[in-house]
Amino acid sequence: MGRILAIDYGNKRVGLAVTDPLCMIASPLETIHSQDLVKYVLAYHQREPLRAVVVGMPRTLLNEPTDVTSAVVGLLRRLRRELPEVPVHELDERFTSRMAHATMLAGGLGQKARRDKATVDRISATIILQSFLESPLMREV
């Protein structure tokens, strides 16, 4: 079967989340530098076969592209080229950072921990993955 990997892409950092082998539970994985992303995903796929990849698509509240959108489109193309056997999906990621902050606050994390952008990126990737697991797109995987 394989796991599903979610990506919250940023120009500097990338938050990653992954499912359990049964694709039922989304968990934060780690935060890596954006330059290392494709190499990391390929190596991860060698260790743990991927059933699908989900990439958060950044859009503004007015559904317009952001300054990161073109980089994400390039990433989608490259992942589809490098991993032709793995479906690569995109999912609207609006509000995930805000939801990540709210989740951290509700979880009792202190102010210093909530300021850690790497933690926010991992939690945002987890929210993207959980949204995918609950979406109709999951039936295609």
Side-chain angles (χ1 to χ4, degrees), residues 120-139:
V120 173
D121 292 338
R122 283 192 302 276
I123 293 174
S124 293
T126 306
I127 291 168
I128 291 167
L129 184 52
Q130 186 63 45
S131 296
F132 178 79
L133 292 175
E134 296 169 359
S135 78
L137 291 171
M138 183 59 190
R139 290 185 211 126

Side-chain angles (χ1 to χ4, degrees), residues 55-127:
V55 180
M57 180 56 73
R59 308 292 289 180
T60 67
L61 292 177
L62 298 174
N63 201 28
E64 295 172 347
T66 69
D67 57 334
V68 182
T69 303
S70 62
V72 172
V73 169
L75 171 66
L76 288 166
R77 276 194 219 116
R78 184 158 180 214
L79 288 173
R80 288 176 177 140
R81 187 177 61 242
E82 299 278 346
L83 297 168
E85 72 282 5
V86 178
V88 178
H89 300 275
E90 58 186 85
L91 195 73
D92 188 342
E93 73 163 25
R94 281 178 284 188
F95 303 112
T96 56
S97 292
R98 187 170 292 157
M99 291 168 64
H101 282 287
T103 300
M104 293 166 68
L105 186 61
L109 282 172
Q111 188 174 16
K112 185 177 180 183
R114 291 193 313 265
R115 284 191 197 140
D116 180 16
K117 293 180 181 179
T119 301
V120 173
D121 292 338
R122 283 192 302 276
I123 293 174
S124 293
T126 306
I127 291 168

